[in-house]
Structure formats: C-alpha cells, structure tokens
Amino acid sequence: MSEAMLSKVRKLLAQAEDAACTPAEAAAFTAKATELIARYGVDRALLAARDPTTDPVGDRVVDVVAPYARDKAGLLAAVADPLRCRCIRRPAGTGFALHLFGFASDLERVDLLFTSLLVQAAHGLAGTVVPPGEHPAAFRRSWLAGFARVIAERLRAAEAGAVAQDGTPSVALVLADRSDRVARRVTEVYPRLRTAPTRRLAGSGFGAGEAAGQRADLGGPDAVHAPTAPPHPGLPGR
C-alpha cells in the first residue's frame, strides 16, 4: 500500500477512534477507510492484469494461540475470504497455524485488517459484561462468532462497492481469474483438503458480537509492510 494511501487510512481511523467523535461521524470515517482499502485491492488487481510481476500469488503462515485460538482462526478466515485469499487451518500445539494463500497485495490487506480487528475484539470483549449464570468462555466464543460474521459481511459489501465504482466491464473477470489462481495454488499444496464440521456454540453473546462488528474500524496501520504476520494481541482469558 502506498504511503499516501496509508496516511489517508491512518488519519480516517484516528478520527473514527476519537472519543469526542459521534457514532455517525465514526461510521462515516470508518466507511471511507474501508472504501480506500477495497479500492486499493481493485487497483492492484487491474495493474497485475497488465503486468503480473507486480503482484504475484504467494502464501504465508499466521500462528494463533490460546485462549480462543479457534475463534481467532475464524476471524482470520472471515477477513481473508472476502479479500480473495484462502485460509487453511492446521493444528499447532495449543493453537493453530493458518496457512494463507493469495496475491501479495491481498495478503497485505489481510494482515492489515486482521491485526486491527484482533485489538478491537479484545477491547470489545473486555468491555462486555458476561450475563449472570453464563459460562464466560461460552459467551465470549459466541460473541466472537457474531463479530466475525458481521466483519465478513461488511468486507464483502466494501469489495463489491469498489468493483461497482470502477465501472470497468473486465474487472469482474480479472478478480474471478485471481480467485481461480489462488484456488489452484491451494489445491497444488493441499490436494486432499477436508471441510471442517459445522461448529455449534451455546453462548448468548452472538448479538453483542454482531453489534461490535458493526462498530469496528476495518483497517489499521501496523502490518502493511511486514513480510510475515506480526505477533497478534491476546483476547481475555477463559
């Protein structure tokens, strides 16, 4: 991401996070930051269609650890999928190693957003009271599931908006081809993938997590130029 674009995103997110900012103002700043990040993805895709060397297909491994390793992995997948990356989960000790596949610019965007959203989820959970009589871990897992679902929906909407704004008839074909190329790379590395069973959650925090996902800032400056994913902050304990 260019320094000029990064500067704009940083400024918008700083304004959205200001305690003096009204909810409507924060939503407007956040929407603009998300729009810039999505626009960047489309621009890089079109540039790579003309010169593939500018944005090769690659991969990286992100380690997520306890507590709530499975839920962190779910959030990473919720970010990666709308940004045309694939996320393969592998057990690793008490957590998981998430093998990400995608074009370099899209992997860059996933790092950027996932790092920011983990911080926001930790803050959101710390400020959410677990209902009396409910197991804290069950509530927090369902909270994180709601948070991740809304984040995925918002990112898909932002990506669709960037494509529509471009107005180039070929852009949808370019993006579809990129998704196909990433899928082929995954198949080359993991020819016998199995789909994980549907997870059942008992906690009542899903709605509160969804509300937090609606308020979340979809961006963050720290991981833009990192060659591998940085250490990620922890969530509240069980």
Side-chain angles (χ1 to χ4, degrees), residues 135-163:
H135 194 287
F139 177 85
R140 289 168 180 155
R141 289 190 182 102
S142 61
W143 189 101
L144 288 163
F147 183 83
R149 188 171 90 167
V150 167
I151 292 301
E153 291 172 351
R154 291 179 62 191
L155 289 175
R156 287 191 186 95
E159 293 294 303
V163 172

Side-chain angles (χ1 to χ4, degrees), residues 43-57:
D43 288 345
R44 287 298 302 269
L46 293 175
L47 177 62
R50 296 189 293 270
D51 182 1
T53 63
T54 65
D55 198 16
V57 178

Side-chain angles (χ1 to χ4, degrees), residues 33-124:
T34 307
E35 177 187 329
L36 289 174
I37 292 169
R39 178 69 257 173
Y40 170 74
V42 171
D43 288 345
R44 287 298 302 269
L46 293 175
L47 177 62
R50 296 189 293 270
D51 182 1
T53 63
T54 65
D55 198 16
V57 178
D59 67 298
R60 63 185 61 179
V61 176
V62 178
D63 294 317
V64 295
V65 297
Y68 306 108
R70 189 180 298 273
D71 308 285
K72 294 174 187 175
L75 178 59
L76 179 55
V79 173
D81 185 66
L83 303 189
R84 295 178 292 280
C85 293
R86 291 285 304 276
C87 182
I88 308 303
R89 191 180 71 196
R90 306 181 310 203
T94 59
F96 297 97
L98 282 302
H99 198 171
L100 286 174
F101 293 82
F103 283 81
S105 63
D106 293 329
L107 291 172
E108 183 180 63
R109 295 193 298 152
V110 171
D111 270 355
L112 170 73
L113 291 168
F114 180 57
T115 300
S116 175
L117 289 167
L118 266 185
V119 173
Q120 294 178 60
H123 290 165

